[in-house]
């Protein structure tokens, strides 16, 4: 059965009669989804049929279901009228704004809401993230990187995973939880090709976290003995914020080991298109040659609509590879702390030297 597509430009013109192909794609490493359109934007071969302008809205429907609403960021056309449109949904503005912000005793949920309010980005359902982050000073970062940093700090403490998504023109934050898999990809049924790879390049079998200060250092080490035996000792070292207590440092080490003590597995599958299978969802896949079997997360997807057909290429992974950004304390603060420690050390050394001189016998 052929897939019927509709494309509405600027709320006025349906341009689908001019369209040759559409690619609709997303990736968990990006906050937005992208629509790329190839079209023949002419009827008589002399003039463009529709005057396409960047900054205008475009909407995409497949079989009557709205899949995309976004803004045209790029448009090109040649002398033959062959044209291309690239549009992104509203979450793209998280990557187009750079600033320096300070957040004190706020959850990631509150940070997302504050960013949306400050930069005119409409927010919808923002999930409660739980962990109150003591302090974040984020310099020269995109709004997206700020949100990812806050979500990374949250995940490191409570293990909960959240993903920003665009829906009906609003920024939403949803928690990723294990749920029933609705879709199956299977050879001989809907898979057209598959490739599978496994790697321990980024695997770590032990985690050591160091916190506190020079006078009262705090440490915690967690090790997966079974993985050490199988893959060898590979230790990750992490510097915690100086104001974290021992319990928080221990919890951080446990959570980081849980995140890192895994074998990365990635699968690239081409299959008949399913519009619900997009980055951030989960599927069950079976393919005999690659021994592909089980549940997988969709890390990236590209759906192609052309001549009534709908195909998709999806990147699958056993691990839920949401983007992560590690927070580092403010460089200026670090420099001042080092300077203060050096000054104190020099003062102590000087006092010891004077004591020795004063106490020396003639």
């Amino acid at each position: 059965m052929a897939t019927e597509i509709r494309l509405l430009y600027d709320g006025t013109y349906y341009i689908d009669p001019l369209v040759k192909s559409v690619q609709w794609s997303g990736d968990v490493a990006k906050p937005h989804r992208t629509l790329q359109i190839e079209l023949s934007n002419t009827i008589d071969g002399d003039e463009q049929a529709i005057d396409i302008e960047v900054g205008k809205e475009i909407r995409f429907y497949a079989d009557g279901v709205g899949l995309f609403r976004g803004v045209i960021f790029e448009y090109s056309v040649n002398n033959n009228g062959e044209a291309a449109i690239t549009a992104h949904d509203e979450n793209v503005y998280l990557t187009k704004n750079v600033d320096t912000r300070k957040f004190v005793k706020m959850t990631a949920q509150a940070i997302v809401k504050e960013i949306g309010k400050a930069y005119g980005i409409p927010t919808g359902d923002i999930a409660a993230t739980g962990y109150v982050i003591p302090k974040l000073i984020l310099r020269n970062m995109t709004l997206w990187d700020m949100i990812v940093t806050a979500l990374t700090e949250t995940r490191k403490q409570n293990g909960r995973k959240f993903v920003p998504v665009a829906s009906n023109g609003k920024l939403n934050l949803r928690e990723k939880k294990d749920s029933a898999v609705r879709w199956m990809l299977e050879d001989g049924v809907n898979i057209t090709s598959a490739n599978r790879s496994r790697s321990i390049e980024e695997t770590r079998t032990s985690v050591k976290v160091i916190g506190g200060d020079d006078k009262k250092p705090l440490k915690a080490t967690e090790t997966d003995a079974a993985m050490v035996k199988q893959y060898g000792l590979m230790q990750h070292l992490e510097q915690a914020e100086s104001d974290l207590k021992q319990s928080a440092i221990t919890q951080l080490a446990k959570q980081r080991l849980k995140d890192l003590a895994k074998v990365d597995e990635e699968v690239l599958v081409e299959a008949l298109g399913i519009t619900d299978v997009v980055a951030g969802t989960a599927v069950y896949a079976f393919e005999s040659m690659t021994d592909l079997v089980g549940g997988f997360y969709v890390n990236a997807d590209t759906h192609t609509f052309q001549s009534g057909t709908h195909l998709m290429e999806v990147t699958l992974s056993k691990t839920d590879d949401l983007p992560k950004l590690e927070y580092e304390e403010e460089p200026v603060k670090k420099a001042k702390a080092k300077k203060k420690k050096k000054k104190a050390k020099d003062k102590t050394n000087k006092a010891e030297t004077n004591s020795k001189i004063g106490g020396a016998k003639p």
Side-chain angles (χ1 to χ4, degrees), residues 3 24 33 62-63 67 181-186 189-191 269-279 281-284 298 301-305 309-314:
T3 300
W24 173 58
R33 293 188 64 79
D63 290 334
L67 298 180
V181 179
R182 295 175 53 201
W183 302 106
M184 176 178 287
L185 306 181
E186 185 176 1
V189 179
N190 54 6
I191 290 180
V269 171
E270 294 181 357
L272 301 181
I274 304 170
T275 55
D276 286 337
V277 177
V278 295
T281 61
V283 297
Y284 186 89
V298 180
D301 69 277
T302 298
H303 293 254
T304 301
F305 301 81
T309 64
H310 172 201
L311 300 175
M312 66 181 182
E313 182 178 275
V314 291

Side-chain angles (χ1 to χ4, degrees), residues 84-330:
I85 296 171
T86 298
H88 307 294
D89 67 38
E90 291 86 348
N91 275 5
V92 72
Y93 291 105
L94 294 173
T95 70
K96 301 298 184 183
N97 289 280
V98 179
D99 207 342
T100 294
R101 304 277 300 191
K102 179 179 179 179
F103 305 100
V104 179
K105 295 182 179 180
M106 294 176 65
T107 62
Q109 175 192 25
I111 290 173
V112 171
K113 287 184 177 180
E114 181 170 309
I115 286 175
K117 183 178 180 181
Y119 297 90
I121 299 173
T123 55
D125 183 18
I126 307 298
T129 53
Y131 175 62
V132 177
I133 304 170
K135 180 172 60 179
L136 284 178
I137 301 176
L138 306 175
R139 294 183 175 278
N140 302 321
M141 280 190 176
T142 64
L143 306 183
W144 169 240
D145 284 346
M146 290 182 186
I147 290 173
V148 171
T149 301
L151 296 178
T152 299
E153 292 302 300
T154 300
R155 180 173 178 174
K156 283 161 62 175
Q157 288 297 329
N158 61 21
R160 296 170 65 188
K161 306 168 187 177
F162 298 86
V163 58
V165 294
S167 178
N168 297 320
K170 294 183 179 180
L171 169 63
N172 298 268
L173 186 68
R174 297 174 184 168
E175 183 169 7
K176 294 190 64 62
K177 298 178 180 179
D178 293 334
S179 57
V181 179
R182 295 175 53 201
W183 302 106
M184 176 178 287
L185 306 181
E186 185 176 1
D187 60 346
V189 179
N190 54 6
I191 290 180
T192 57
S193 70
N195 183 73
R196 178 190 181 202
S197 65
R198 303 181 80 235
S199 172
I200 58 171
E201 291 285 1
E202 301 302 322
T203 301
R204 296 296 179 265
T205 55
S206 181
V207 171
K208 183 177 183 180
V209 178
I210 300 174
D213 52 35
D214 289 345
K215 291 183 179 180
K216 191 178 179 181
L218 301 175
K219 299 179 182 179
T221 301
E222 295 289 330
T223 303
D224 189 318
M227 292 200 73
V228 170
K229 185 177 180 180
Q230 186 172 4
Y231 302 115
L233 179 64
M234 295 181 280
Q235 180 174 281
H236 169 75
L237 178 65
E238 184 154 332
Q239 185 72 43
E241 294 180 49
S242 58
D243 54 354
L244 287 185
K245 296 180 180 179
Q246 181 64 57
S247 59
I249 288 176
T250 300
Q251 174 59 30
L252 176 57
K254 290 180 178 179
Q255 184 58 49
R256 295 300 282 146
L257 180 65
K258 185 178 178 181
D259 292 338
L260 299 172
K262 295 178 180 178
V263 176
D264 287 333
E265 182 171 14
E266 186 171 276
V267 180
L268 184 64
V269 171
E270 294 181 357
L272 301 181
I274 304 170
T275 55
D276 286 337
V277 177
V278 295
T281 61
V283 297
Y284 186 89
F286 173 80
E287 203 284 321
S288 56
M289 177 60 73
T290 57
D291 288 331
L292 179 62
V293 60
F296 292 85
Y297 295 102
V298 180
N299 284 344
D301 69 277
T302 298
H303 293 254
T304 301
F305 301 81
Q306 186 173 15
S307 302
T309 64
H310 172 201
L311 300 175
M312 66 181 182
E313 182 178 275
V314 291
T315 302
L316 309 179
S317 175
K318 280 291 187 182
T319 57
D320 193 1
D321 292 332
L322 294 174
K324 303 179 186 70
L325 276 179
E326 302 297 333
Y327 172 64
E328 295 184 2
E329 288 189 70
E330 189 179 3

Side-chain angles (χ1 to χ4, degrees), residues 19-33:
V19 172
K20 299 166 67 177
S21 69
V22 176
Q23 281 196 339
W24 173 58
S25 61
D27 192 310
V28 293
K30 299 177 181 179
H32 59 279
R33 293 188 64 79

Side-chain angles (χ1 to χ4, degrees), residues 10-22:
D10 196 24
T12 305
Y13 304 102
Y14 281 100
I15 64 171
D16 37 278
L18 307 172
V19 172
K20 299 166 67 177
S21 69
V22 176

